[in-house]
Amino acid sequence: MVKAIMHGCNGHMGRVITDICSKDDNIEIVAGIDPFDGVPNDYPVFPSIDKCDVDADVIIDFASAKAEDALVDYCVNKQIPAVLCTTGLSDEQIDNIKNASSKVALLKSANMSLGINTMMDLLKKAANVFVEAGYDIEIVEKHHNQKIDAPSGTALALADSINEEYDNSFEYVYDRSTKREKRSNKEIGISAVRGGTIVGDHDVIFAGTDEVITFSHSAYSKSVFAKGAVEAAKFLAGKGPGLYDMKDVIASK
């Protein structure tokens, strides 16, 4: 059984992951990290990662960006792999993760959903057919009204999965109101919708003459990301140094 530390155990995602692991015979949360201690847990909880003295095979991270540097240092010093799900990291923190991955196994992905990451793989194959046939590409993403960034990191990752197949030759267009001209065939339009409590919808549209093909993914709760993180933790435990992502998890299935 994989023994995991939940970094950010008392936040919403930490609670969801704790519940998922409690029902999974292959993984167990043996310790938690959170400065807030007002939640009852079946495992010991420490206020910061440097205070944790519990042995583990892997760390699952859904905390705050300000705690990321200390976590990465801990992983290197203790030689414990980590699934890094915290968002809003600075360029310096991303570089620190890349450097640390030469010493310990770290997994970082723009989206932890198994569905989204499978969709990225399918888009690569679809692009090889539709781009060559002259189809236009548009991406529409929808999220709740509390999301502050636009477009979403997932929308950009979906666009990148196509663009990488063509040496990043596509231009991303975010606001057509500023361009009074016909679209080119070397651009990917990305539109963002914000409203209500939408967890996350992503549509990738290939529009050709008299034909439209749409790849869609809808997340109905944040548990899809939690489930992906748990699968990633089971995959990463015991791995050697390197920077992994969800494509590696899917390839291992």
Side-chain angles (χ1 to χ4, degrees):
M1 176 182 290
V2 173
K3 297 179 179 180
I5 294 172
M6 184 64 236
H7 191 243
C9 63
N10 292 337
H12 175 72
M13 292 302 292
R15 303 312 304 156
V16 174
I17 289 173
T18 294
D19 181 63
I20 291 173
C21 291
S22 70
K23 302 170 183 174
D24 190 325
D25 294 334
N26 297 312
I27 188 168
E28 175 189 9
I29 304 294
V30 294
I33 311 297
D34 206 297
F36 176 66
D37 60 2
V39 176
N41 290 286
D42 294 330
Y43 47 77
V45 176
F46 302 87
S48 59
I49 189 66
D50 59 293
K51 299 290 193 299
C52 182
D53 58 0
V54 177
D55 292 332
D57 303 308
V58 67
I59 299 172
I60 304 175
D61 167 48
F62 262 108
S64 66
K66 64 183 181 181
E68 199 73 4
D69 292 334
L71 171 63
V72 172
D73 289 344
Y74 182 90
C75 291
V76 172
N77 292 335
K78 298 289 187 178
Q79 284 295 290
I80 302 177
V83 178
L84 305 175
C85 306
T86 294
T87 59
L89 303 181
S90 67
D91 290 341
E92 291 77 12
Q93 288 176 310
I94 296 296
D95 288 340
N96 186 40
I97 290 169
K98 291 177 180 177
N99 292 333
S101 69
S102 66
K103 303 173 184 176
V104 67
L106 299 174
L107 187 148
K108 185 90 176 80
S109 193
N111 188 297
M112 299 306 296
S113 160
L114 293 171
I116 281 289
N117 284 277
T118 300
M119 183 173 169
M120 289 180 189
D121 187 50
L122 294 173
L123 288 175
K124 291 178 182 289
K125 297 175 182 178
N128 289 328
V129 175
F130 299 127
V131 170
E132 299 302 323
Y135 286 57
D136 298 320
I137 307 168
E138 294 284 323
I139 298 175
V140 180
E141 57 97 343
K142 306 171 188 175
H143 284 86
H144 52 85
N145 58 21
Q146 301 300 304
K147 187 171 178 62
I148 59 176
D149 59 314
S152 69
T154 298
L156 293 173
L158 291 169
D160 288 345
S161 69
I162 298 170
N163 208 4
E164 289 166 1
E165 292 291 290
Y166 293 89
D167 297 322
N168 296 309
S169 60
F170 282 91
E171 173 193 5
Y172 297 165
V173 177
Y174 306 107
D175 183 4
R176 295 201 182 281
S177 68
T178 63
K179 295 184 67 170
R180 305 286 292 179
E181 60 187 50
K182 175 182 175 291
R183 91 185 307 280
S184 78
N185 61 359
K186 295 302 292 183
E187 66 185 50
I188 298 176
I190 305 177
S191 303
V193 176
R194 297 289 176 267
T197 58
I198 302 170
V199 175
D201 288 351
H202 293 85
D203 292 334
V204 181
I205 303 163
F206 292 92
T209 302
D210 301 327
E211 183 176 46
V212 174
I213 298 92
T214 302
F215 290 78
S216 296
H217 179 275
S218 295
Y220 295 107
S221 79
K222 290 186 177 180
S223 67
V224 298
F225 312 120
K227 290 174 183 175
V230 171
E231 291 302 310
K234 290 189 284 187
F235 160 82
L236 198 64
K239 290 289 188 296
L243 186 58
Y244 301 83
D245 61 26
M246 287 301 289
K247 291 192 289 291
D248 297 307
V249 179
I250 292 170
S252 71
K253 297 295 184 182

